[in-house]
Amino acid sequence: MAILKSEFITFYNEEVKYDGNNEIREKKKKLKEDFKSKFPTKFKEKYEEDIKVSDIRFIDQGSYNINTTINHTDTAFDIDVATIINLDINKYNNVLEIKQLVRDALKNTNREPKIKEPCVTVKYTKAGEEKYHIDFPIYASHEGKLYLARGKESDKEEDIKWEIADPEGLSEYFKKDHLQIEGLNLDEEEKKKRKQKRRIIRYIKWWKAEKYGTSRRDHSIPPSIALTILVCEHFESAKIDDEYNDLNALYKTVKNIAGELFEKTFDEDDEEIISLKECKLPKDPGSDCFFKIRNSYSYIKTFYTRWTTFESNLKKAVEEDDERTAGEIVAKMFGDKFPLPEVDEVNSEDSFAK
């Protein structure tokens, strides 16, 4: 059985893990300052009513908030800043107008924010390549509940709306229920399990970047939030010789997810049909995270094929006795950033006495 302990530690610490940097922190701070400075004025110009700075607050959400962001060169960093505004959604029911005001408040001579379906986004590029983007999902705080501004200019009228949401509850779910370590009364074993779970999420997101990094169709890509939820719900820790082993935990978790996520049936012509089960948000609005992939059966089939291949290759790596061979199998999934063990000369075929 392969272990690859030091290889996974090196891979995680030197390649996979991302903890943020000062540049992004400064950009995020500046954007929030600009928004608070400009949005009330633009709102006043549009509606002739006041929005106070105290009516606006921000919370971090997404992978950056729960420490599962990866440092993959084919994946632009995605920073989510939930922007919560005290608004009467009945009075200000034109969601697109609100998002346009948000876009204009974030805009300057060097920034050209874009309205996307779930947010307003600001991209930062270098030499023509996107380095990272900061997303501003817009929420209206109304009668004790939050509502997400959904829709973009090209959407159908019925798709542009305020949708009930619970971003704070979702962050609590990920952090307190599954991933948070600091500030909770956890025993040492639970802390180690949670650290391993966080690593497994990052490995799977790295795999996604390797397999879908060149895709130009967003609808074909399994969303990271779905993969994170699936790991949280189906994670299985693993130890070898009383030490936590990431290769085995990754294999067991991927296998568990495959068993829960896909269903194979056959039609009357004995043709295989793959069904993708729902992965619902654990908080409002409880929507299916895979709703975009369902637009095409080919997207589902590709996801199934890639995921089950991921599972079978992990199984081969786990069952392989030679560490070098196991490392080469893993490197086919994770790319050349995964470090390979030295060749075991004692057990290599060429070293046998003639």
Side-chain angles (χ1 to χ4, degrees), residues 200 204 234 249-259 307-308 310-312 314:
I200 297 305
I204 289 175
H234 303 294
L250 180 60
Y251 165 59
K252 290 179 178 180
T253 302
V254 168
K255 180 181 178 181
N256 290 345
I257 291 171
W307 191 266
T308 52
F310 188 26
E311 177 193 354
S312 63
L314 286 169

Side-chain angles (χ1 to χ4, degrees), residues 188-332:
E188 287 304 311
E189 281 302 301
E190 180 61 22
K191 289 179 181 178
K192 290 178 181 178
K193 286 181 182 178
R194 289 191 173 207
K195 286 181 180 179
Q196 187 176 61
K197 186 187 293 186
R198 189 183 293 167
R199 295 196 299 272
I200 297 305
I201 290 171
R202 279 175 157 148
Y203 294 140
I204 289 175
K205 289 172 72 173
W206 186 280
W207 167 85
K208 170 190 163 181
E210 286 289 315
K211 298 304 176 185
Y212 287 91
T214 59
S215 176
R216 294 296 175 261
R217 297 185 179 92
D218 287 348
H219 284 28
S220 70
I221 304 173
S224 292
I225 190 169
L227 299 178
T228 303
I229 291 169
L230 289 168
V231 174
C232 286
E233 294 180 348
H234 303 294
F235 169 73
E236 185 174 347
S237 64
K239 286 183 176 182
I240 294 179
D241 296 331
D242 207 36
E243 292 188 342
Y244 283 89
N245 182 267
D246 286 0
L247 173 60
N248 276 264
L250 180 60
Y251 165 59
K252 290 179 178 180
T253 302
V254 168
K255 180 181 178 181
N256 290 345
I257 291 171
E260 291 293 329
L261 191 57
F262 301 105
E263 186 175 11
K264 185 190 297 186
T265 57
F266 296 88
D267 64 17
E268 58 186 16
D269 297 321
D270 208 31
E271 291 289 329
E272 180 183 85
I273 300 174
I274 302 300
S275 298
L276 176 65
K277 297 180 183 178
E278 290 185 335
C279 174
K280 292 185 176 181
L281 287 174
K283 301 293 180 179
D284 282 336
S287 51
D288 177 20
C289 298
F290 287 125
F291 75 95
K292 290 183 178 179
I293 282 187
R294 296 186 196 285
N295 289 332
S296 169
Y297 180 69
S298 68
Y299 297 163
I300 295 174
K301 190 67 181 291
T302 298
F303 182 28
Y304 168 79
T305 300
R306 289 177 176 176
W307 191 266
T308 52
T309 301
F310 188 26
E311 177 193 354
S312 63
N313 284 335
L314 286 169
K315 184 175 188 291
K316 290 177 185 176
V318 166
E319 294 177 348
E320 176 59 55
D321 290 330
D322 181 69
E323 291 283 297
R324 174 74 179 200
T325 303
E328 290 171 349
I329 294 171
V330 174
K332 288 180 181 179

